Amino acid sequence: MAAKLKKGDKVIVLSGKDKGKTGEISRVDPKAGKAVVDGVNIAVRHEKQSQNSQGGRTPKAMPLDLSNLAIVDKNGKPTRVGFKMDGDKKVRFAKTTGDVI
């Protein structure tokens, strides 16, 4: 199945503790159905001090389920993604505005 959300897409969170927040996808795991969005779903990780790093508490973005994310259209609203043929290529488009993403 074609990927509706890809790395670099601007998305909005639809549910959970970070509902309504927007960010850019930095990593996608299609096998697990999860994506990491910058600045969203932040957890604090404790790292042990080593020769290379100071250690301590570091914030880290944790993965979100793809079903809880929606791509943002040109108006800043969440939209669904569709596919259409543009010549020989299959392209993604926003269902609300019809613009190619």
Side-chain angles (χ1 to χ4, degrees), residues 37-88:
V37 181
D38 294 331
V40 178
N41 199 24
I42 301 295
V44 175
R45 292 284 165 235
H46 297 76
E47 293 181 356
K48 196 171 184 180
Q49 184 176 1
S50 67
Q51 270 187 328
N52 302 347
S53 65
Q54 178 65 28
R57 296 166 44 121
T58 57
K60 182 180 179 185
M62 302 303 286
L64 288 164
D65 203 76
L66 289 175
S67 64
N68 295 334
L69 301 174
I71 201 156
V72 176
D73 64 0
K74 66 178 182 181
N75 301 329
K77 304 267 186 188
T79 184
R80 290 179 294 168
V81 177
F83 294 95
K84 64 182 175 182
M85 295 301 290
D86 185 26
D88 294 344

